[in-house]
Amino acid sequence: MVISMPRGTQDILPEESRKWQYIEEKLRKISSDFCYEEIRTPMFESTELFSRGVGDTTDIVQKEMYTFMDKSDRSLTLRPEGTAGTVRSYIENKLFAQTIQPQKLYYVGPMFRYERKQKGRYRQFVQYGVEVIGDESPKIDAEVISLAYNIYKIFGIENIKVSINSLGNPEERRAYNEALIKHFEPRIHEFDEDCNNRLYKNPMRILDCKVDANHELVKTAPRLLEYLGEESKAYFAEVLRHLDALGVKYEIDHNLVRGLDYYTHTAFEIMIDNPEVELKTLCGGGRYNGLVKLLDGPEDKKGIGFALSIERLLLALESENITLPIDDTIDLFVVSMGEKAGDAAVKLTNDLRLAGYKAQNDYFDKKMKAQMKIADRYKAKLSIIIGESELENDEYVVKDMESFNQETVKRENIIKYLEEKLRGEK
């Protein structure tokens, strides 16, 4: 029986992997430009970290986590998201004591959720995310949203919009939750089982329900903004003012609550405005002022962040017919004729690689015509030909694979020649 990959996972083959490499390198460059530094946390953590940090009432904790007992009878979980682990690391490694605050961090790595497989949604998926932890400011909120927004713009995706809402502080949320319970309670039996379970545990999540999103009670539910105090309203207004200054297009979505329990104040999603795309949400995030304290860190340290799925970014690029400028060529293919020339080709290929060139040679002593065909398949810019006469004369024939022009180059001058030819150095 052929062993297949687990359901909900994918093999990313070389041709597709080039796209991933390009995207990840681009994300790292953008992060650096915005002065974010990379953090790498374990792929599995204590289960308690996610049950406390993400929230017992969330779908992630209740239904989607990959949890197991290790040999010491400890409950561990493959990370379903990146924020909780980043905050745990921030606390454990005392990053709050660093002279530069807030700490501006980013990560790229696999996450794991036991979800129903569909296009753009996998049980192992890759997230890029940022977290700004330490201080609170509307300017920080606007910067984080602007970073997420501009990532898609930089990749050429123009048909996007930011949905944004304020979730207020914990006291305002409690008052709002009470209002929602009164609103939904008389007819909660009309909703699905998940919404019934959320009514008393986390009624705001009913607004986030995908099954009953068009129910009239969802559309007529009280608005959270009506329950915000003056301070929260002023904070939200300042975030919007900064977004206006940064040129970020947004719309206020009164039903946007996000799926995680730790959010406070600013919450946002970036949506693709394309009717042909089934999964509209590309990215989501928000402020989590109480999470550091919840995980036993300093009470005054607050954070905000977002995460995006690279799988969904690839789908968005595809839907917008955007081709990534990926260079799939190599610099050089070394062609050899004869046993001695073959040995010399192995040595030359290695020298070229160590000099920083993408180089390949023939392994199987094929005829010259066959080797040139292989060079074409590799999309080589140049081929270097070594035969008996070239060995005797201590030289190489260098052929331009596009123009077919050939030049003879002395062996000791080959690196200098290639620097001029391929790198424009003199």
Side-chain angles (χ1 to χ4, degrees), residues 52 59 118 225 245 291-292 319 328 398 421:
R52 286 173 60 187
D59 287 346
Q118 54 183 294
L225 287 175
L291 183 57
V292 176
S319 71
D328 60 353
V398 181
K421 189 77 172 176

PDB file of all heavy atoms in Angstrom, residues 52 59 118 225 245 291-292 319 328 398 421:
ATOM      1  N   ARG A  52      -5.403  29.032  28.030  1.00  0.00           N
ATOM      2  CA  ARG A  52      -5.489  30.306  28.735  1.00  0.00           C
ATOM      3  C   ARG A  52      -5.362  31.482  27.775  1.00  0.00           C
ATOM      4  O   ARG A  52      -6.112  32.450  27.868  1.00  0.00           O
ATOM      5  CB  ARG A  52      -4.382  30.399  29.791  1.00  0.00           C
ATOM      6  CG  ARG A  52      -4.611  29.532  31.013  1.00  0.00           C
ATOM      7  CD  ARG A  52      -3.392  29.546  31.921  1.00  0.00           C
ATOM      8  NE  ARG A  52      -3.069  30.900  32.389  1.00  0.00           N
ATOM      9  CZ  ARG A  52      -1.971  31.188  33.087  1.00  0.00           C
ATOM     10  NH1 ARG A  52      -1.097  30.229  33.380  1.00  0.00           N
ATOM     11  NH2 ARG A  52      -1.753  32.422  33.489  1.00  0.00           N
ATOM     12  N   ASP A  59     -13.221  28.221  18.969  1.00  0.00           N
ATOM     13  CA  ASP A  59     -13.230  26.995  18.175  1.00  0.00           C
ATOM     14  C   ASP A  59     -11.853  26.344  18.167  1.00  0.00           C
ATOM     15  O   ASP A  59     -11.737  25.108  18.139  1.00  0.00           O
ATOM     16  CB  ASP A  59     -13.655  27.300  16.735  1.00  0.00           C
ATOM     17  CG  ASP A  59     -15.139  27.594  16.620  1.00  0.00           C
ATOM     18  OD1 ASP A  59     -15.876  27.301  17.581  1.00  0.00           O
ATOM     19  OD2 ASP A  59     -15.566  28.132  15.581  1.00  0.00           O
ATOM     20  N   GLN A 118     -10.356  22.504   2.837  1.00  0.00           N
ATOM     21  CA  GLN A 118     -10.949  23.157   1.674  1.00  0.00           C
ATOM     22  C   GLN A 118      -9.879  24.025   1.036  1.00  0.00           C
ATOM     23  O   GLN A 118      -8.778  24.155   1.560  1.00  0.00           O
ATOM     24  CB  GLN A 118     -12.170  23.989   2.072  1.00  0.00           C
ATOM     25  CG  GLN A 118     -11.908  25.007   3.165  1.00  0.00           C
ATOM     26  CD  GLN A 118     -13.161  25.735   3.562  1.00  0.00           C
ATOM     27  OE1 GLN A 118     -13.721  26.489   2.773  1.00  0.00           O
ATOM     28  NE2 GLN A 118     -13.626  25.507   4.782  1.00  0.00           N
ATOM     29  N   LEU A 225     -19.971  49.799  19.463  1.00  0.00           N
ATOM     30  CA  LEU A 225     -19.550  51.196  19.569  1.00  0.00           C
ATOM     31  C   LEU A 225     -20.481  52.010  20.476  1.00  0.00           C
ATOM     32  O   LEU A 225     -20.078  53.001  21.080  1.00  0.00           O
ATOM     33  CB  LEU A 225     -19.491  51.840  18.172  1.00  0.00           C
ATOM     34  CG  LEU A 225     -18.322  51.409  17.268  1.00  0.00           C
ATOM     35  CD1 LEU A 225     -18.451  52.032  15.890  1.00  0.00           C
ATOM     36  CD2 LEU A 225     -16.989  51.799  17.892  1.00  0.00           C
ATOM     37  N   ALA A 245      -4.287  59.270   7.427  1.00  0.00           N
ATOM     38  CA  ALA A 245      -3.023  59.915   7.076  1.00  0.00           C
ATOM     39  C   ALA A 245      -2.098  58.962   6.327  1.00  0.00           C
ATOM     40  O   ALA A 245      -1.317  59.393   5.468  1.00  0.00           O
ATOM     41  CB  ALA A 245      -2.342  60.441   8.332  1.00  0.00           C
ATOM     42  N   LEU A 291      -3.451  40.228  27.524  1.00  0.00           N
ATOM     43  CA  LEU A 291      -2.875  38.896  27.325  1.00  0.00           C
ATOM     44  C   LEU A 291      -1.573  38.698  28.100  1.00  0.00           C
ATOM     45  O   LEU A 291      -1.334  37.626  28.657  1.00  0.00           O
ATOM     46  CB  LEU A 291      -2.647  38.641  25.835  1.00  0.00           C
ATOM     47  CG  LEU A 291      -2.121  37.249  25.459  1.00  0.00           C
ATOM     48  CD1 LEU A 291      -3.047  36.160  25.972  1.00  0.00           C
ATOM     49  CD2 LEU A 291      -1.946  37.138  23.949  1.00  0.00           C
ATOM     50  N   VAL A 292      -0.712  39.712  28.134  1.00  0.00           N
ATOM     51  CA  VAL A 292       0.555  39.580  28.858  1.00  0.00           C
ATOM     52  C   VAL A 292       0.279  39.314  30.339  1.00  0.00           C
ATOM     53  O   VAL A 292       0.874  38.418  30.951  1.00  0.00           O
ATOM     54  CB  VAL A 292       1.424  40.836  28.683  1.00  0.00           C
ATOM     55  CG1 VAL A 292       2.700  40.726  29.512  1.00  0.00           C
ATOM     56  CG2 VAL A 292       1.779  41.047  27.208  1.00  0.00           C
ATOM     57  N   SER A 319      -5.827  34.733  -8.025  1.00  0.00           N
ATOM     58  CA  SER A 319      -7.125  35.307  -8.403  1.00  0.00           C
ATOM     59  C   SER A 319      -6.972  36.640  -9.129  1.00  0.00           C
ATOM     60  O   SER A 319      -7.809  37.010  -9.955  1.00  0.00           O
ATOM     61  CB  SER A 319      -8.003  35.495  -7.165  1.00  0.00           C
ATOM     62  OG  SER A 319      -7.514  36.547  -6.343  1.00  0.00           O
ATOM     63  N   ASP A 328      14.105  31.568 -12.287  1.00  0.00           N
ATOM     64  CA  ASP A 328      14.318  30.124 -12.211  1.00  0.00           C
ATOM     65  C   ASP A 328      15.456  29.664 -13.121  1.00  0.00           C
ATOM     66  O   ASP A 328      15.531  28.500 -13.511  1.00  0.00           O
ATOM     67  CB  ASP A 328      13.035  29.367 -12.542  1.00  0.00           C
ATOM     68  CG  ASP A 328      12.511  29.678 -13.943  1.00  0.00           C
ATOM     69  OD1 ASP A 328      13.061  30.583 -14.606  1.00  0.00           O
ATOM     70  OD2 ASP A 328      11.554  29.018 -14.383  1.00  0.00           O
ATOM     71  N   VAL A 398      33.229  29.628 -23.720  1.00  0.00           N
ATOM     72  CA  VAL A 398      32.030  30.104 -23.018  1.00  0.00           C
ATOM     73  C   VAL A 398      30.990  30.494 -24.063  1.00  0.00           C
ATOM     74  O   VAL A 398      31.253  31.331 -24.929  1.00  0.00           O
ATOM     75  CB  VAL A 398      32.338  31.303 -22.103  1.00  0.00           C
ATOM     76  CG1 VAL A 398      31.073  31.742 -21.374  1.00  0.00           C
ATOM     77  CG2 VAL A 398      33.435  30.945 -21.110  1.00  0.00           C
ATOM     78  N   LYS A 421      30.651  39.469 -17.143  1.00  0.00           N
ATOM     79  CA  LYS A 421      29.576  39.003 -18.000  1.00  0.00           C
ATOM     80  C   LYS A 421      28.254  38.881 -17.252  1.00  0.00           C
ATOM     81  O   LYS A 421      27.189  39.271 -17.779  1.00  0.00           O
ATOM     82  CB  LYS A 421      29.961  37.626 -18.590  1.00  0.00           C
ATOM     83  CG  LYS A 421      29.033  37.110 -19.666  1.00  0.00           C
ATOM     84  CD  LYS A 421      29.276  37.795 -20.978  1.00  0.00           C
ATOM     85  CE  LYS A 421      28.480  37.130 -22.092  1.00  0.00           C
ATOM     86  NZ  LYS A 421      28.646  37.850 -23.383  1.00  0.00           N
TER      87      LYS A 421
END
